[in-house]
Amino acid sequence: MANRWKNDLGDRDVTPEAVYMTRRQWMAGAAGLGLVGAGRAARAEVPEPNAWEDITSYNNYYEFGTDKGDPARHAHRLTVQPWTVRIDGLVDRPGAYDFADIMARMTIEERIYRFRCVEAWSMVVPWNGFELADLLDMAGVQAGAKYVAFETVLRPEEMPGVRYPVLDWPYVEGLRLDEARHPLTIMATGIYGRDIPNQNGAPLRLVVPWKYGFKSIKSVVRITLTEAEPATSWNKANPREYGFYSNVNPEVDHPRWSQATERRIGGGLFAGREPTLMFNGYADEVAGLYAGMDLKTYF
Ligand code: MTE
């Protein structure tokens, strides 16, 4: 691939692994001392970036339950081997691709993508993986394709959360083709130098560092190239609050909270809030994708 992205973050920027893996305890500890802004109470179904409920939790993977401790509790039940990814729609070589074959065919260079990410807090997480563009090239994208749709595995027998209609299962997400082909868009297979834990989306998840965390769909089993904009789970659930693009944007408030500031996890108990950066700090790389678009309309 010619268009490799240059990593500006180093090891010193990375959020310590122990902090990432134990966000719940970490933030709960800060909260217990009354040092975390109280925030408004979050509703259970919403991945609110700055809400109290989220910063005191571990993570979101609603197929395992909406309690933020549920993914860590239940995700070990997910069988991630063998794993097949169906690539279909407007591609030259549709098919069921075995994950092991994908891994053999992608050049997983000795490469670490240290990406800033924003959820309820900001962190820098070191991912291993490959560019989504390489996977798309493997399948051969046809000229008419304009979007990429993603789907998470749906296994009621392994996923206790899908008994509840909190979202319309399976979890789905989407990107415009140029976003999907951007070198910052990766399929992650590892984190902190090891395989991704199940609750974080094993064996293969999307990471789009200039978008809010919920775009990062986990445990992907299907990728479809489409002409029309695909549906996304959160947009279906609440179109007023979650748009298709979901770019990190301090100027566009969520209807129920401001997105202008964020809290850096691991920044120390006394670390305050920092201004949220446009496109999560990746404006130089990605702003061009949205030239001429009104990002208040296309939020
Ligand atoms: N993918 C699936 N399949 N199901 C989910 O519930 N939650 C999303 C996203 N991907 C989710 C998902 C949300 S709301 C967030 S914030 C991130 O995963 C959390 O990812 P993390 O485990 O890296 O914190």
Side-chain angles (χ1 to χ4, degrees):
M1 285 247 93
N3 192 21
R4 293 291 188 196
W5 162 76
K6 291 222 175 17
N7 207 332
D8 67 325
L9 294 170
D11 277 337
R12 288 188 332 180
D13 301 304
V14 166
T15 302
E17 179 175 2
V19 174
Y20 176 79
M21 292 299 172
T22 58
R23 282 172 249 178
R24 178 195 186 87
Q25 295 88 320
W26 179 262
M27 295 310 292
L33 293 170
L35 297 170
V36 172
R40 277 154 280 173
R43 311 232 176 109
E45 80 281 11
V46 175
E48 179 186 342
N50 292 313
W52 172 248
E53 180 115 352
D54 275 354
I55 58 178
T56 55
S57 69
Y58 195 168
N59 68 346
N60 289 328
Y61 194 160
Y62 280 16
E63 288 87 333
F64 295 100
T66 53
D67 183 292
K68 308 306 172 72
D70 281 338
R73 246 189 318 271
H74 298 301
H76 67 273
R77 292 164 62 176
L78 183 67
T79 314
V80 297
Q81 233 180 351
W83 193 266
T84 304
V85 183
R86 190 154 112 228
I87 307 183
D88 59 6
L90 300 170
V91 291
D92 294 332
R93 293 173 288 282
Y97 290 85
D98 185 66
F99 179 64
D101 291 343
I102 292 176
M103 291 296 274
R105 290 174 66 172
M106 293 296 107
T107 3
I108 314 264
E109 300 159 37
E110 283 306 305
R111 174 180 186 78
I112 304 172
Y113 300 85
R114 292 184 206 85
F115 285 164
R116 286 173 273 269
C117 67
V118 183
E119 289 167 14
W121 41 75
S122 70
M123 303 178 277
V124 173
V125 176
W127 302 100
N128 305 92
F130 48 83
E131 291 180 21
L132 173 59
D134 291 349
L135 188 65
L136 297 178
D137 287 342
M138 190 181 83
V141 177
Q142 295 182 345
K146 295 200 179 75
Y147 294 90
V148 186
F150 303 85
E151 198 176 299
T152 293
V153 71
L154 177 55
R155 289 202 202 121
E157 65 285 3
E158 297 181 0
M159 298 173 135
V162 303
R163 264 179 299 168
Y164 308 98
V166 280
L167 291 173
D168 186 13
W169 313 112
Y171 196 100
V172 290
E173 257 305 335
L175 295 173
R176 218 169 57 193
L177 184 59
D178 56 348
E179 299 178 315
R181 298 196 69 93
H182 192 281
L184 277 171
T185 303
I186 63 163
M187 296 306 295
T189 56
I191 189 166
Y192 288 97
R194 330 194 203 126
D195 290 345
I196 295 187
N198 283 6
Q199 68 263 28
N200 297 103
L204 184 70
R205 69 172 275 175
L206 181 69
V207 178
V208 194
W210 71 94
K211 293 180 182 277
Y212 290 112
F214 58 90
K215 294 296 278 186
S216 294
I217 183 172
K218 298 178 168 180
S219 309
V220 171
V221 287
R222 187 174 180 193
I223 297 175
T224 308
L225 279 290
T226 64
E227 196 190 339
E229 185 181 289
T232 69
S233 285
W234 285 102
N235 180 255
K236 277 197 275 185
N238 195 337
R240 204 174 73 85
E241 301 194 358
Y242 302 102
F244 176 78
Y245 285 93
S246 307
N247 292 318
V248 174
N249 189 340
E251 287 152 28
V252 177
D253 281 342
H254 184 282
R256 286 188 282 122
W257 55 82
S258 162
Q259 306 196 131
T261 63
E262 62 190 35
R263 174 170 290 274
R264 173 174 269 248
I265 191 171
L269 290 182
F270 297 95
R273 306 189 65 85
E274 295 170 14
T276 300
L277 298 175
M278 189 66 194
F279 299 113
N280 198 26
Y282 296 99
D284 287 350
E285 288 89 354
V286 303
L289 295 172
Y290 310 102
M293 283 174 68
D294 177 356
L295 297 180
K296 288 197 162 65
T297 305
Y298 297 99
F299 62 97

